[in-house]
Amino acid sequence: MEAAAELLDIRKELSGTRVLDGATLSLAAGRIHALVGPGGSGKTLILKTLCTLLPPDSGQVVLFGEPVDFLAPEGLRRTRARIGVQFQNLALFDFLSVRDNVAFPLEADASAAPPQDVERRVLAILDAVRLPGAAALEIQSLSGGMQRRVAIARAAVSDADFLVFDDPSGGLDPVTTSRIFALISEIQARRRCTVVIASHDIDRLARVCEDFHVVEGGRVIFSGTLAEGRNHADPRVRTFLDVTDART
Amino acid sequence: MSRTAFRIPAPPEVVVAPARLLGQVVRALGHRFPPSDRLFTQMHNVGNNSAVFISVTLGFLGLILVYQGCVQTLKVLPDLSGVGAAFIFAMVRTFGPTITGMMIATRVGAGIAAEIGSMTVTDQIEAMKVANSDPVSYILGPRFVSCVVMTPILWVFGTLVGVLFGYLMGHWRFGIATQTFLDLGLVSYHDVVIGFLKALSYGIVIPVLAADAGFKARGGSEGVGWATTTAVVNASFAVIVLDFVISTLSFLLGY
């Protein structure tokens, strides 16, 4: 199956510490992938590398079949136009309203959609994340769960081919968590885009994800289905996947 | 015997990084000028919100300078007729722009660094990049234009306030006549231009140095604190250095 995103032997040092140590990963197109691993294993850095936000010291990033040139602004612009990201700490713009936050990816790009189209898409995605009528609200006035849904709406508002969700259920109650995972699954089913979700919530990941990738010490030590992972020879893979609600 | 070639030392990163950022913001503004609503919000923040702060500072400076000027003059001469002209000359050429610059460096520079630093450590800058928005253009652009426009305006305003308070001190405490104090005889066209150039240069470097510190913030609140402190220290230092450089150049050129 064709890969939407690939990391090939990625190495990265930050402040003298090797944070990615030969990470190799292939995300098949049109599927939902889970990226799991203990805290501090490098999941977020792998996601940032996939989003073209973290240039590696060595190795290659291939997105949509083309190697990413981190020094070519025009190429990066075209690639990023096909990516939607929900950051671990949400990264919502606290000086903008909910509507302006969600519309940001559509309006920031020079090749922006016409204004009527922007409004239609923003209202549709806010409706999908069950925040109708929240468009005019300020970000600070929202609860944690609502903010997370706004971040998901912002990631999914454009017709991105590759959606990245970094801990979409962090700090949320079980009901909201289930809704968020169902929403991500619904978006993927409708668009047939490639989705990667980093989370510790193995139970809920198991319900929506087809492929699992286990990260440990800055490298991907397993890629496959959940069943394969639970029968893997490496005890680190088994330990991490063979638990329910494996929070670290 | 080998001969060692003379090499010009590379400029330090503290100079190179802001210079690169200045180039980026100028290029970005040429490509896309900030929308008027965001520009006016920033101009209001830089200008109107700094006006009281600068009035109070330069007002007190005027009071102190004239008081000290009169007291010291009276120790050697019983004539205070030259105090007003010398004071106005110093206010227009040096104290007005430089103290205004220092105040903008502390109030506006700290604000810009804290704002951008907070956005950096919370991944908002990365969110902008991945949305194909240029953070330099989007965040620094309006702040840069506002500082460039408002710093000279605040220089004029602050200098007028300083002169007014200096006059009040000279007139009411030392009995200097209004016409004698408000003597513009020592202020030439060149002094006004030099004062304006100083204010303009401060308006250019303060937002750039502050933004540079903000973009370099790492970690959490500690990183934002570091960015704010660095911005104030670097911008204040830059104001003093620019004052010295422009004053020296103008002196060498005979102005």
Side-chain angles (χ1 to χ4, degrees), chain A residues 219-238:
Chain A
R219 56 169 62 192
V220 181
I221 59 169
F222 166 78
S223 286
T225 64
L226 185 58
E228 287 167 353
R230 285 177 170 167
N231 293 310
H232 199 267
D234 190 333
R236 291 172 301 171
V237 177
R238 284 202 312 274

Side-chain angles (χ1 to χ4, degrees), chain A residues 9-223:
Chain A
D9 196 22
I10 299 292
R11 288 167 205 275
K12 179 76 183 175
E13 273 192 19
L14 290 176
S15 309
T17 305
R18 177 65 61 85
V19 288
L20 292 179
D21 191 13
T24 295
L25 173 70
S26 179
L27 302 178
R31 292 168 73 90
I32 306 184
H33 301 264
L35 198 63
V36 297
S41 58
K43 298 187 296 294
T44 294
L45 295 173
I46 284 179
L47 293 183
K48 284 191 175 178
T49 309
L50 283 169
C51 299
T52 73
L53 289 171
L54 189 72
D57 295 336
S58 68
Q60 199 171 44
V61 182
V62 181
L63 287 172
F64 315 114
E66 287 188 17
V68 175
D69 181 355
F70 285 86
L71 299 175
E74 187 50 35
L76 278 181
R77 200 193 67 75
R78 277 199 309 272
T79 305
R80 286 173 177 170
R82 300 176 68 183
I83 302 173
V85 188
Q86 175 250 306
F87 288 83
Q88 188 174 33
N89 56 10
L90 308 184
L92 293 171
F93 307 121
D94 45 19
F95 52 92
L96 297 178
S97 66
V98 169
R99 181 260 168 219
D100 290 345
N101 262 281
V102 175
F104 195 87
L106 300 173
E107 293 176 333
D109 199 349
S111 54
Q116 314 89 301
D117 197 30
V118 171
E119 292 311 317
R120 184 185 57 75
R121 285 198 202 190
V122 169
L123 292 177
I125 196 76
L126 282 177
D127 208 35
V129 297
R130 297 183 182 85
L131 285 173
L137 297 178
E138 294 299 319
I139 290 297
Q140 294 95 329
S141 68
L142 305 180
S143 68
M146 291 165 87
Q147 289 190 6
R148 210 157 276 272
R149 279 184 277 164
V150 173
I152 289 170
R154 187 176 68 182
V157 71
S158 60
D159 288 331
D161 299 312
F162 182 37
L163 294 178
V164 175
F165 297 99
D166 192 354
D167 202 8
S169 60
L172 297 183
D173 63 86
V175 176
T176 312
T177 301
S178 295
R179 280 185 185 164
I180 282 177
F181 275 91
L183 172 69
I184 292 172
S185 178
E186 193 183 300
I187 291 169
Q188 195 276 337
R190 198 167 58 236
R191 298 199 198 152
R192 304 308 304 165
C193 54
T194 309
V195 174
V196 59
I197 307 170
S199 174
H200 295 303
D201 198 339
I202 306 290
D203 261 359
R204 289 194 174 80
L205 285 172
R207 290 180 208 164
V208 297
C209 296
E210 296 148 296
D211 298 310
F212 281 72
H213 309 272
V214 179
V215 183
E216 170 78 63
R219 56 169 62 192
V220 181
I221 59 169
F222 166 78
S223 286

Side-chain angles (χ1 to χ4, degrees), chain B residues 184-199:
Chain B
L184 299 177
L186 289 181
V187 180
S188 70
Y189 165 74
H190 295 124
D191 298 321
V192 177
V193 171
I194 286 163
F196 171 76
L197 283 177
K198 285 182 181 179

Side-chain angles (χ1 to χ4, degrees), chain A residues 48 51 53 77 80-81 85 87 89 91-95 104-105 108-109 154, chain B residues 32 115 118-119 121-133 138-139:
Chain A
K48 284 191 175 178
C51 299
L53 289 171
R77 200 193 67 75
R80 286 173 177 170
V85 188
F87 288 83
N89 56 10
L92 293 171
F93 307 121
D94 45 19
F95 52 92
F104 195 87
D109 199 349
R154 187 176 68 182
Chain B
R32 191 174 184 178
E115 219 172 338
S118 159
M119 293 180 75
V121 300
T122 55
D123 283 341
Q124 291 180 52
I125 299 294
E126 296 205 323
M128 280 189 185
K129 285 183 189 168
V130 86
N132 276 327
S133 174
Y138 190 88
I139 304 169

